[in-house]
Amino acid sequence: MAVQNPTPTTELEAVNQMLRGIGESPVSSLIDDYGLDVPDATGTLSEISNAVQLEGWIFNTEYDYPLPVNVDGEIHVPSNALNVDFDWRTCGGSEPVVRGRRVYDRKGHTYKLDRGLKAKIIFGLPFEELPEAARYYITYRACRKFQDTQAGSNDLHRFSEADELRARWTFIEQHSDDQDLNMLRDTPEFSHLR
């Protein structure tokens, strides 16, 4: 038996793991119509992926992201922005908030802005663009939710909950490693020592 090299989890593999979790056979494509389970599984995977990414991680958060004013005097936020936190230093007296995909100035009661802004933006990324630790955690969390909604078995819930907790721990550990955190460099209490 040939041993395959490990590769990052695909969306199809994640959905097949969810299907196996409720005793269903795997599928070869997410496009073909296989009945209700596949669309439900892909919907659950998407929902959990958005929920996890909304927390904001090193791989999907950008700081000082420029948001320029367009020719109409409006600012449109990227379509995959899950959260936008404006940098108050660039607001110039305006009170920007996101409404739909546009920035609204609550102070001026208008969508028209006279300057570009900067913001911290949490982006929603496609499943295949996520780091493997994130895919791993999202898959197990989606499995548990999918099992709960499709099968409703307490025994399955307990097993999948333990898997989810292990996956979350792996994900947090990887995230911490990626940040290269340093107590002396990255905490306000010690930063003045530099």
Side-chain angles (χ1 to χ4, degrees), residues 1-9 13:
M1 176 189 236
V3 177
Q4 293 183 344
N5 290 331
T7 58
T9 306
E13 290 169 335

Side-chain angles (χ1 to χ4, degrees), residues 90-140:
T90 64
C91 294
S94 64
E95 292 180 12
V97 294
V98 176
R99 289 189 178 172
R101 303 288 3 132
R102 298 185 298 168
V103 176
Y104 179 78
D105 176 11
R106 292 184 310 162
K107 188 173 184 180
H109 310 290
T110 182
Y111 287 100
K112 302 292 183 192
L113 294 142
D114 59 359
R115 68 173 65 184
L117 301 171
K118 288 189 176 183
K120 176 182 110 174
I121 299 182
I122 297 172
F123 287 97
L125 303 176
F127 190 79
E128 269 86 12
E129 288 185 23
L130 300 175
E132 179 57 20
R135 296 181 199 194
Y136 177 64
Y137 171 54
I138 289 166
T139 299
Y140 276 98

